[in-house]
Amino acid sequence: MDKEKIKQAVRMILEAVGEDPDREGLVDTPRRVADFYEEVFAGLHRNPADRLSAIFNEQHEEMVIVRDISFESMCEHHLVPFIGKAHVAYIPNKGRVVGLSKLARIVEDFSRRPQLQERLTSQIADLLMEHLQPQGVLVVVEAEHMCMTMRGVRKPGASTVTSAVRGVFDKSSATRAEAMSLIRGTK
Ligand SMILES: [Zn+2]
């Protein structure tokens, strides 16, 4: 990542909004923002498929759900955060399972980029379908978008919910309903 370029750009933005980038409080701001961007966009330089390099064989063909995976991402339209939780469910095929922490890592890899919630949701589902080849995947993402809280319609607290449904979760409404009730914790 070209952090020098980020620093120059932040300095220019400060000048452009009418600030003095050389005043004491702002002097280190370009560097801080460059450090911050390096961290929140680190997923651009990772391949989430690598998280699925170790697939285990377990005699388990029942639903696996990891819920409340917290994430922080950056809305690509405004470069401000959207923050929330992802819930990932899948049903293994031929006992192919993956370490539970890997699901959280995949959410992190995809969220640490300029992102849209809709795309984040489907990227997680599609990666699992392609590389784990389960019977099905269901991903639900809920998030609050700072671009809705701080600007435009200004609706703090509003949450956006997106879902991606693949395989058996798409075909069977009963299986989908079971996963949704487990995700909501109402079962
Ligand atoms: Zn936005």
Side-chain angles (χ1 to χ4, degrees):
M1 209 174 284
D2 189 344
K3 287 172 79 176
E4 276 311 310
K5 201 165 189 174
I6 299 172
K7 283 196 235 172
Q8 289 165 16
V10 172
R11 193 184 157 85
M12 282 178 73
I13 290 170
L14 288 169
E15 284 170 1
V17 300
E19 261 290 2
D20 169 12
D22 294 316
R23 76 173 170 83
E24 201 186 344
L26 291 177
V27 118
D28 284 329
T29 298
R31 178 191 54 77
R32 290 191 202 98
V33 174
D35 289 345
F36 172 68
Y37 279 4
E38 183 178 49
E39 190 174 337
V40 298
F41 295 137
L44 283 170
H45 307 282
R46 291 190 204 139
N47 180 6
D50 293 345
R51 306 291 190 183
L52 296 171
S53 54
I55 289 171
F56 304 103
N57 265 294
E58 288 289 331
Q59 288 318 306
H60 187 87
E61 304 263 315
E62 308 293 327
M63 199 178 297
V64 177
I65 300 186
V66 179
R67 68 179 192 202
D68 294 332
I69 302 169
S70 58
F71 73 88
E72 306 83 31
S73 190
M74 292 283 269
C75 153
E76 70 181 21
H77 291 157
H78 301 95
L79 288 188
V80 293
F82 66 99
I83 294 171
K85 285 175 176 173
H87 317 282
V88 179
Y90 75 98
I91 299 181
N93 188 19
K94 302 190 182 93
R96 288 162 55 85
V97 299
V98 68
L100 299 176
S101 65
K102 304 296 185 189
L103 299 175
R105 292 295 183 197
I106 288 166
V107 172
E108 184 181 312
D109 290 345
F110 279 128
S111 58
R112 303 224 144 209
R113 320 171 166 198
Q115 190 54 285
L116 295 174
Q117 184 177 333
E118 297 88 335
R119 189 171 65 223
L120 172 66
T121 311
S122 56
Q123 280 178 329
I124 297 164
D126 291 336
L127 184 90
L128 289 170
M129 283 305 284
E130 186 183 342
H131 293 271
L132 193 56
Q133 292 156 5
Q135 296 179 49
V137 173
L138 182 147
V139 178
V140 176
V141 175
E142 40 192 314
E144 182 175 353
H145 291 247
M146 291 307 123
C147 57
M148 281 182 72
T149 302
M150 297 179 65
R151 55 161 290 287
V153 292
R154 291 210 186 89
K155 290 285 176 256
S159 67
T160 303
V161 182
T162 47
S163 69
V165 180
R166 305 285 186 267
V168 68
F169 290 103
D170 189 31
K171 292 185 198 89
S172 162
S173 59
T175 307
R176 188 166 63 242
E178 187 188 347
M180 290 306 288
S181 71
L182 288 165
I183 286 168
R184 292 198 191 99
T186 53
K187 203 176 174 186

